[in-house]
């Protein structure tokens, strides 16, 4: 699962983890107790760290965690911040194996409170970094989460999962980023782009293997165990887990493995571990483009500007592939040629569907591109290029997740049959190409994951679902289908797209009300 593949599935399954149903319960993982014994003997973390029995629980200074200089200057934040590098075994089942680490930032509540801490489980993806090396971004995160964390006297913890962002090792393919400038300058079709990307990823996978990386341990199960070790090291009884998009899977798995450690969950744009890509396959593929079609049918501005929207959209795709527009763009701080063909037009629209603004802009985008003008689409092109060039994105870690916890439980043969029912042309062809394209699982030597990663979440833990009615990435219908398994759940739907906490300031106020009273009726979950 390369970042190009992730970015190119606008019309061929924009899912972040839809998984097949099983159910069971798993007791506390015993190897964690052994790891704690190793921690007491100083076998993990930095020498001279504070003994966990005498550590101030507010500092997180233990044998597993070394306080480090923050990755950006955080002295101007509104709240006190401490930065840590938390050491864990790469393989939780191997007591004597190699050690890896992930970053943790603790933001202290302004006053002591008995309220449980809040942990943000990372940027989703899988593979998305949280931006912990950027003070402005951390300040923005604090503002986004403040109402239901610090303002309620709850310490706030921020982290990147293993293999992502500031973690060591960071499983990103720098060679892929290095070669992007060359690809941007060419009029490549989808298959040509896949072939070029494969060469880069084969190189990166070999390089990581030579460094001793075992890809079998970069997945949701390992992240869940990491978080449990973090909780114990920080001497936190229970905490509130915040997940966004794919990291909602982490939260759900933690609640299954360690229910006694979780006070509540706030799941923004949730995915579910028991729903896989074959679940509602055709609907999931067609929904993003169908939402654009429906918008242009009902919105006067789009309907009057773009009659016959569907035909004009695909005619534009074909036209740009024959006659690409050559642009000059800022590529990693330097000028570069960017050839805007039909495939990149779709990539930019797909990038836009993570938000709601694309619906208002789509008419101008199509009308301008028909005249070879790019002002309306340019911001979306920039966002997409930034994503492809993000060197903190754990794209190789994302592939490891796929091989461990998605592919083994996905009925790919059923999907191939269903793909023949898709509309002929780009949508069907690209869907079949993706389904038949070799993955990296054998190359990475990743074995099928523990079935626990595919079980449906069944919990009594208070859970708040925040979801966008315009979300084409994670589906609202999946939440409605699964919510009966969450016996103390509430659902609040917002008129936005993906990542509600980012898109609507009301969401954190709703979360604050829920955490103060998880029995609150849904009608009272408002900003009034």
């Amino acid at each position: 699962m390369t970042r190009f593949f992730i970015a190119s599935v606008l019309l061929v399954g924009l899912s972040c983890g839809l998984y097949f149903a099983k159910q069971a319960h798993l007791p506390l993982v015993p190897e964690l107790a052994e790891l704690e014994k190793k921690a007491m003997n100083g076998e993990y973390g930095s020498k001279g760290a504070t003994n966990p029995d005498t550590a101030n629980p507010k500092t997180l200074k233990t044998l597993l965690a070394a306080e480090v200089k923050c990755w950006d200057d955080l002295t101007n934040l509104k709240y006190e911040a401490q930065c840590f590098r938390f050491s864990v075994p790469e393989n939780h089942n191997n007591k004597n194996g190699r050690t890896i680490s992930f970053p943790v930032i603790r933001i202290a509540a302004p006053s002591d409170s008995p309220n449980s801490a809040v942990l943000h489980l990372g940027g989703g993806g899988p593979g998305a970094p949280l931006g912990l090396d950027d003070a402005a971004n951390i300040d923005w995160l604090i503002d986004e989460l403040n109402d239901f964390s610090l303002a309620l006297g709850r310490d706030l913890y921020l982290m990147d999962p293993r293999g992502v962002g500031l973690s060591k090792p960071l499983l990103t393919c720098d060679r892929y980023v290095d070669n992007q400038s060359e690809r941007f300058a060419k009029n490549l079709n989808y298959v040509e782009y896949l072939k070029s990307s494969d060469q880069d990823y084969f190189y990166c996978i070999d390089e990581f293997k030579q460094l001793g990386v075992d890809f079998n341990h970069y997945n949701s199960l390992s992240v869940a165990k990491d978080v449990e070790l973090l909780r114990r090291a920080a001497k936190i009884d229970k905490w509130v887990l915040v997940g966004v998009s794919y990291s909602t899977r982490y939260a759900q798995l933690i609640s299954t493995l360690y229910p006694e450690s979780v006070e509540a969950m706030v799941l923004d744009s949730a995915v579910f571990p028991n729903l896989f890509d074959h679940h509602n396959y055709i609907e999931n593929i067609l929904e993003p483009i169908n939402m654009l079609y429906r918008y242009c049918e009902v919105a006067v501005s789009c309907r009057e500007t773009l009659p016959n929207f569907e035909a004009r959209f695909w005619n534009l795709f074909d036209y740009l592939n024959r006659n690409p527009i050559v642009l000059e763009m800022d590529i990693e701080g330097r000028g570069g040629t960017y050839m805007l063909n039909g495939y990149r037009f779709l990539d930019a629209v797909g990038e836009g569907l993570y938000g709601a603004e694309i619906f208002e802009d789509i008419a101008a985008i199509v009308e301008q591109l028909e005249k070879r003008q790019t002002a309306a689409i340019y911001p979306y092109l920039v966002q997409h290029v930034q994503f492809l060039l993000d060197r903190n994105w754990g794209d190789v870690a994302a592939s490891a997740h796929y091989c461990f916890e998605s592919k083994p439980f996905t009925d790919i043969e059923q999907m191939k049959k269903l793909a023949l029912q898709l509309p002929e042309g780009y949508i069907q062809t690209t869907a079949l190409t993706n389904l038949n394209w070799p993955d990296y699982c054998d190359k990475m030597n990743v074995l099928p994951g523990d079935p626990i990663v595919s079980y449906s979440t069944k919990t009594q833990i208070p859970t708040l679902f925040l979801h966008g009615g315009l979300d084409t990435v994670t589906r609202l219908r999946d939440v409605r289908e699964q919510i009966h398994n969450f016996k103390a759940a509430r659902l609040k739907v917002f008129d936005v797209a993906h990542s509600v906490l980012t898109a609507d300031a009301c969401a954190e106020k709703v979360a604050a009300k829920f955490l103060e009273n998880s029995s609150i009726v849904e009608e009272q979950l408002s900003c009034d």
Side-chain angles (χ1 to χ4, degrees):
M1 183 181 287
T2 68
R3 73 178 79 191
F4 172 68
F5 181 83
I6 294 171
S8 301
V9 290
L10 160 64
L11 308 177
V12 285
L14 237 179
S15 60
C16 295
L18 305 172
Y19 300 100
F20 183 71
K22 293 185 180 178
Q23 52 183 303
H25 301 281
L26 195 70
L28 182 66
V29 179
E31 63 265 27
L32 291 180
E34 294 297 322
L35 184 60
E36 284 188 322
K37 293 179 182 178
K38 293 195 71 178
M40 293 297 293
N41 294 326
E43 297 179 49
Y44 291 113
S46 62
K47 294 182 179 180
T50 308
N51 185 297
D53 287 336
T54 59
N56 179 346
K58 291 284 189 178
T59 67
L60 189 57
K61 290 181 180 178
T62 76
L63 291 167
L64 290 170
E67 186 168 4
V68 297
K69 180 180 178 181
C70 291
W71 299 276
D72 198 358
D73 184 2
L74 304 185
T75 55
N76 292 325
L77 292 182
K78 301 174 186 176
Y79 302 93
E80 177 189 352
Q82 291 175 290
C83 299
F84 301 88
R85 184 158 291 284
F86 196 76
S87 298
V88 292
E90 183 178 60
N91 178 358
H92 282 285
N93 293 316
N94 183 356
K95 303 174 186 177
N96 300 309
R98 59 186 250 138
T99 301
I100 63 174
S101 68
F102 61 93
V104 178
I105 296 181
R106 175 187 163 271
I107 314 295
S111 60
D112 289 335
S113 166
N115 289 336
S116 300
V118 173
L119 171 66
H120 192 301
L121 288 162
L130 200 54
L132 301 182
D133 56 350
D134 185 336
N137 188 66
I138 293 170
D139 200 37
W140 172 79
L141 283 167
I142 291 173
D143 185 61
E144 180 180 286
L145 305 169
N146 180 67
D147 280 3
F148 65 97
S149 59
L150 300 167
L152 297 181
R154 300 176 181 270
D155 290 347
L156 174 62
Y157 288 80
L158 308 172
M159 63 172 282
D160 280 328
R162 58 170 60 199
V164 176
L166 299 179
S167 295
K168 293 183 180 180
L170 165 58
L171 300 189
T172 191
C173 186
D174 282 324
R175 190 182 182 95
Y176 173 86
V177 177
D178 292 339
N179 290 332
Q180 274 301 102
S181 295
E182 182 179 342
R183 281 189 283 264
F184 286 152
K186 296 179 180 179
N187 183 17
L188 300 177
N189 63 33
Y190 189 64
V191 171
E192 291 170 336
Y193 213 126
L194 286 176
K195 289 180 178 179
S196 174
S197 299
D198 277 355
Q199 294 176 14
D200 294 338
Y201 281 99
F202 290 155
Y203 176 90
C204 289
I205 290 168
D206 283 338
E207 190 172 52
F208 282 124
K209 288 164 71 172
Q210 291 172 11
L211 294 172
V213 172
D214 186 344
F215 297 113
N216 283 285
H217 306 294
Y218 293 83
N219 50 62
S220 295
L221 184 58
S222 294
V223 172
K225 295 178 181 181
D226 292 344
V227 169
E228 175 61 7
L229 283 179
L230 174 62
R231 182 187 69 84
R232 296 185 185 186
K235 296 187 178 296
I236 291 172
D237 181 30
K238 293 176 180 283
W239 48 16
V240 175
L241 299 178
V242 178
V244 180
S245 195
Y246 200 91
S247 65
T248 62
R249 271 200 83 179
Y250 301 154
Q252 291 173 69
L253 186 55
I254 293 165
S255 75
T256 298
L257 292 171
Y258 316 108
E260 73 288 343
S261 75
V262 183
E263 176 187 295
M265 294 187 287
V266 177
L267 305 183
D268 178 353
S269 308
V271 300
F272 296 91
N274 59 308
L275 300 184
F276 289 86
D277 286 341
H278 57 257
H279 178 78
N280 291 330
Y281 173 68
I282 291 178
E283 294 90 336
N284 288 342
I285 285 181
L286 296 179
E287 184 62 14
I289 191 64
N290 283 341
M291 286 187 73
L292 286 176
Y293 294 163
R294 290 195 296 270
Y295 177 82
C296 271
E297 288 175 359
V298 300
V300 174
S301 58
C302 190
R303 187 174 67 242
E304 292 182 350
T305 304
L306 289 179
N308 303 316
F309 171 76
E310 181 176 351
R312 289 175 69 174
F313 184 92
W314 291 109
N315 286 340
L316 179 60
F317 167 76
D318 291 332
Y319 169 76
L320 289 172
N321 282 330
R322 295 191 307 270
N323 305 280
I325 299 172
V326 180
L327 301 172
E328 290 297 316
M329 295 186 69
D330 183 347
I331 299 175
E332 290 204 304
R334 61 183 184 277
T337 299
Y338 183 92
M339 194 166 290
L340 174 56
N341 62 12
Y343 295 98
R344 291 176 183 139
F345 159 62
L346 293 184
D347 288 341
V349 174
E351 188 75 35
L353 283 169
Y354 278 84
E357 294 82 2
I358 188 73
F359 293 96
E360 296 180 358
D361 293 342
I362 190 64
I365 288 172
V366 172
E367 186 178 36
Q368 288 183 15
L369 286 174
E370 288 175 337
K371 302 174 183 177
R372 302 185 67 80
Q373 299 171 357
T374 59
I377 199 172
Y378 193 81
Y380 299 104
L381 292 173
V382 171
Q383 291 174 22
H384 186 64
V385 167
Q386 289 174 341
F387 163 67
L388 293 178
L389 298 179
D390 187 349
R391 293 182 183 271
N392 284 330
W393 184 278
D395 45 7
V396 180
S399 290
H401 278 71
Y402 166 78
C403 297
F404 184 88
E405 61 201 42
S406 181
K407 181 184 177 182
F409 310 101
T410 300
D411 191 339
I412 295 177
E413 293 306 314
Q414 178 190 359
M415 293 165 66
K416 290 179 181 179
K417 294 176 183 178
L418 291 171
L420 297 175
Q421 302 175 29
L422 293 168
E424 293 184 1
Y426 170 84
I427 295 177
Q428 184 184 99
T429 300
T430 307
L432 289 170
T433 297
N434 288 338
L435 291 169
N436 288 290
W437 200 263
D439 56 47
Y440 302 148
C441 299
D442 289 340
K443 177 77 171 174
M444 299 174 77
N445 301 322
V446 176
L447 301 175
D450 188 318
I452 187 69
V453 299
S454 70
Y455 296 163
S456 60
T457 304
K458 296 180 181 294
T459 183
Q460 302 283 344
I461 295 171
T463 303
L464 174 64
F465 289 96
L466 304 171
H467 217 89
L470 299 175
D471 194 342
T472 64
V473 182
T474 56
R475 278 38 178 218
L476 178 59
R477 67 168 173 268
D478 291 337
V479 181
R480 297 192 189 282
E481 176 185 312
Q482 296 294 310
I483 198 169
H484 71 278
N485 289 323
F486 297 77
K487 300 305 181 184
R490 299 291 184 269
L491 167 63
K492 179 66 176 178
V493 180
F494 294 79
D495 190 21
V496 297
H498 196 62
S499 188
V500 176
L501 285 166
T502 298
D504 195 322
C506 178
E508 63 173 309
K509 301 182 186 302
V510 167
K513 285 187 175 182
F514 178 78
L515 293 184
E516 289 184 304
N517 176 19
S518 62
S519 299
I520 189 171
V521 296
E522 289 185 354
E523 291 74 14
Q524 294 177 345
L525 288 174
S526 67
C527 288
D528 298 335

